[in-house]
Amino acid sequence: MASRTESLAGALPATLEWRDDTLYLLDQTRLPLQIVVERQASVEEVWESIRALKVRGAPAIGVAGAYGLCVAMQGSRNAGVAAFRARLAEQAAYLASARPTAVNLRWAVQRLQDRIAGHDDAGSSSTLYDVLLDEARRIHDEDQALCEGIGRNGQALIRPGCGILTHCNAGALATTGIGTATAPMYLAHRSGTPFRVYADETRPLLQGARLTAFELQRAGIDVTLLTDSMAAATMQRGLVDLVIVGTDRVAANGDFANKIGTLGVAILAKHFGIPMYVACPSSTLDLATRAGEDIVIEERAGDEVTSFGARRTAPEGVAVRNPSFDVTPHTLVAGFITERGLVGPPFEQNLSSLFGMG
Ligand code: MRU
């Protein structure tokens, strides 16, 4: 793995980039202290980068997975077409296994497979590789457009002077565009609307502190960092008018998975009468999953909880739970901000009529 470290003063590199037939990732585990861009030399490296959260956030891991499949297939450009197709299926399953909750990863590698399935065998494996890369580039371009659409459709929710609470990072760093939950914020800021964002730090891996506070501050947006346990008191003081979060998967009935702690924020928002919106690109909508209880929740290693950064903070041998996500029931959601518009209840009906097949 070759890496390049940049000065913190410069512009932030893209979350990921495909250049000269090579995938580069901004290593988010090092933010906000270091900006390091890593070349991904093999599909195993891409898998590990997704697993280790070097690239993270549902849309970004979808795009990384799509390019990762291209990396996996580079060595098969001279193979026979049947061997190419067999390896494609195997490598798609391997990449999708890196993280189970965000549907974007599975959706993206499936899109590449579907594109190849619909392609006749007349050409060579090298032609099939070009088709794969074309589809990965499309997913990448579309991701940026989805973020813009969410921004346009959510911007009006941000009233002058309002306070917005967000959890985890559903920002530019979680996508290849202007983020999902942050997209309305970036557009409102660009048009001169004053507002303040409260960013939950998001234990155990601190995506709110390390990433959301970092990117909003760099953009000149008024952002205040909270520990997760401060959200209730901040709402009680009347400082929060609106909650906007991202999501890793929205089920057909509107239940949604997002970073652990989102459910608590949703319950608090309901208690204090604060509307909670979920920024959801169509790439994160999973109409094939009926309800939240059917969403697989990733369990991560206990040492993420027993330490704070590199420092151990819990006794050796203590039992630990570390589910990376939770599921919020749709009854706590005011609406979904999608690229096609705001979707209110009844969610099952409205999501299906806006995004369903028929
Ligand atoms: O574990 P992470 O950092 O990948 O979790 C990210 C989140 O939970 C985000 O809120 C979600 O993926 C939406 S990103 C637009």
Side-chain angles (χ1 to χ4, degrees):
M1 157 228 320
S3 57
R4 184 162 49 91
T5 307
E6 310 205 357
S7 138
L8 275 171
L12 198 59
T15 304
L16 58 82
E17 196 185 351
W18 182 265
R19 183 164 32 89
D20 302 329
D21 233 17
T22 306
L23 176 61
Y24 294 87
L25 299 178
L26 171 62
D27 180 353
Q28 300 192 28
T29 63
R30 309 236 207 165
L31 291 174
L33 300 179
Q34 285 178 306
I35 296 180
V36 176
V37 174
E38 266 188 21
R39 173 173 177 268
Q40 304 294 292
S42 65
V43 63
E44 290 77 16
E45 213 171 290
V46 179
W47 188 95
E48 189 49 43
S49 294
I50 293 173
R51 184 71 176 176
L53 273 52
K54 289 183 178 181
V55 60
R56 32 68 51 203
I61 64 175
V63 181
Y67 284 131
L69 198 46
C70 298
V71 172
M73 299 309 296
Q74 282 175 334
S76 301
R77 278 179 281 197
N78 295 322
V81 166
F84 185 96
R85 287 180 183 276
R87 180 170 163 85
L88 181 68
E90 180 194 294
Q91 294 298 307
Y94 168 63
L95 274 165
S97 73
R99 294 193 80 190
T101 303
V103 73
N104 302 60
L105 178 56
R106 218 183 54 196
W107 165 86
V109 297
Q110 188 61 51
R111 243 181 85 163
L112 266 63
Q113 287 179 280
D114 291 348
R115 181 83 189 271
I116 293 297
H119 202 273
D120 65 37
D121 275 349
S124 62
S125 290
S126 151
T127 314
L128 293 182
Y129 174 80
D130 292 342
V131 172
L132 274 186
L133 185 55
D134 178 67
E135 191 65 17
R137 287 199 161 111
R138 280 181 199 217
I139 289 172
H140 189 174
D141 290 347
E142 284 170 23
D143 181 54
Q144 296 166 40
L146 296 182
C147 293
E148 295 285 337
I150 288 172
R152 280 194 300 276
N153 293 327
Q155 189 179 348
L157 295 170
I158 302 182
R159 304 257 181 249
C162 78
I164 309 166
L165 186 131
T166 191
H167 189 76
C168 194
N169 174 263
L173 289 162
T175 67
T176 61
I178 58 172
T180 62
T182 57
M185 304 176 197
Y186 282 120
L187 296 195
H189 179 65
R190 205 180 291 165
S191 67
T193 305
F195 60 92
R196 172 168 296 165
V197 179
Y198 293 95
D200 280 355
E201 70 172 349
T202 318
R203 272 287 282 156
L205 295 180
L206 303 175
Q207 287 93 331
R210 295 187 303 102
L211 308 175
T212 303
F214 174 68
E215 66 166 82
L216 295 184
Q217 186 187 53
R218 279 176 76 99
I221 292 177
D222 180 350
V223 57
T224 299
L225 180 62
L226 308 176
T227 66
D228 299 339
S229 52
M230 293 172 191
T234 305
M235 290 183 182
Q236 190 184 43
R237 289 274 303 273
L239 299 174
V240 179
D241 303 289
L242 179 68
V243 173
I244 309 181
V245 294
T247 174
D248 289 84
R249 191 188 297 222
V250 176
N253 72 344
D255 295 350
F256 73 99
N258 193 44
K259 180 52 57 195
I260 192 76
T262 303
L263 172 60
V265 171
I267 292 167
L268 290 175
K270 187 75 163 184
H271 177 80
F272 289 109
I274 298 166
M276 179 177 202
Y277 287 90
V278 182
C280 173
S282 50
S283 55
T284 307
L285 182 60
D286 182 11
L287 294 178
T289 291
R290 188 187 54 82
E293 68 209 45
D294 302 320
I295 299 176
V296 180
I297 298 296
E298 176 183 4
E299 295 279 341
R300 294 186 63 86
D303 60 3
E304 293 180 352
V305 176
T306 54
S307 8
F308 198 83
R311 194 164 68 85
R312 192 172 175 92
T313 53
E316 290 291 345
V318 71
V320 174
R321 289 198 66 232
N322 190 15
S324 193
F325 300 95
D326 56 28
V327 172
T328 298
H330 63 272
T331 48
L332 300 179
V333 176
F336 291 92
I337 313 171
T338 78
E339 76 274 10
R340 296 194 188 166
L342 276 185
V343 181
F347 296 119
E348 182 134 27
Q349 195 180 311
N350 293 344
L351 287 170
S352 158
S353 56
L354 202 56
F355 293 100
M357 300 296 268

